[in-house]
Amino acid sequence: MRGSQSTLAERLRFKLHRAELKATAMGLKLMPLRESRLHEGLDATHSLAREIGHYGVNKVLIVTTAGVVKRQQLDTLIAALAQNQVGFAIYSGITPDPSVSVVKEGLQAQQQHQCDAVVAFGGGSAIDASKAIVVAATNDKPVEKLVGIRKGRNKPLPLFCVPTTAGTGSEVTSVAVISDDVTHTKRFIIDSRTIAKGVALDPALSQSLPPSITAETGMDALTHAIEAYLSQLASPQTDALALEAIELIFTHLPEVYRNGGNLESRAAMARASLIAGKAFRKAMLGYVHAISHQLGACYGLPHGFANAILLPRIVAFSQDAVQDKLAQLAIETGLGEASLGRSDLAGLTLDRLERLNTELGIPDNVESLKEQDIPSIASAAYKEALSVHAGPKYMGRKDIQALLRGLLPQ
Ligand SMILES: [Fe+2]
């Protein structure tokens, strides 16, 4: 059996974590989460602008990157907002892994232009920063003090999202991941009131993404779906969402990687990302994210890229704890027949994950990883896993270290 390296103190901590998760599960059950209004297809941006107009919004702050502005990707949104008598201002300072100071700049723009709603236009970074901005806008607290669960007393400004990548699912989740300016460690601002009121999924917006970004973001969505499916907090409801997302991604991610202009597959990926977000906002995530966040902080590895490398290894580590679910996944996604043995079926799921990485050109090690960093990365991942995640099989620090050593460059 894998993973017997945890210490007695760690095993006691795991026991406590199981009890904490039971309480979390009760809380999540009682907490109704907003169902975002969904606008899909090539007319999605117009349809979203109409919705914003119906809310009586006076002026939105569009939060995006300089690249989006340069590529003139905002033109449709701006025209649609004008048609609906909604004013706008633009904050285009979003960077990958947005930091507290990026959020503060966006907040300044919101205050300066007196915007009464925010439209996040971009990938996970634009959406996460926007979530932090909408909370900070209505609460007289420094951004740093909003880290944690529902730290803002007042209702955030309304948020609308136009995702341009298919991966994060952040538009429908309660969590904004913000980086510390100095240490680059991830901070979580968690507030279910930041779930987008409306989301536009226009497949045309992602068709020009380069294959590497398509692969990385798509693998982030797949990781959300699989970690939600294998989570200790999974339920029949979240399983149905996760399996739907996994099947869509298995079918359409290799296609959009090879042929970015396939709008049908781009639309399927956008949908899969959102559905995976709906699965993990209730079921939470696991060790892939706990470790990936540290690799991102330490070496600047893109989030989805780190997830993709880790996913098959963490699933393999957890296999004995979740064999039946992995077998069910193989049946539900057409990888194998129910007549096969559970262990064979679970093996087929693992094979599919490994094969997918190969198809997408994802390596099986981390080029920048250094042996001397492994203990501190493992400790930080261990801590994160037991604070905001619900992975199915606990890993002690030594287990995480051993897994990381397997990722060292050859
Ligand atoms: Fe993620």
Side-chain angles (χ1 to χ4, degrees), residues 167-168 219-221 223-224 227 280 285 289 292-293 303-304 307:
T168 158
M219 285 305 291
D220 187 27
T223 306
H224 295 154
E227 294 215 285
F280 89 80
L285 297 167
H289 274 76
S292 156
H293 283 149
H303 175 64
N307 282 348

Side-chain angles (χ1 to χ4, degrees), residues 22-38:
K22 274 191 186 145
T24 305
M26 290 289 288
L28 283 170
K29 228 178 217 171
L30 294 172
M31 185 170 61
L33 293 178
R34 171 180 294 149
E35 285 299 331
S36 312
R37 190 180 287 271
L38 191 55

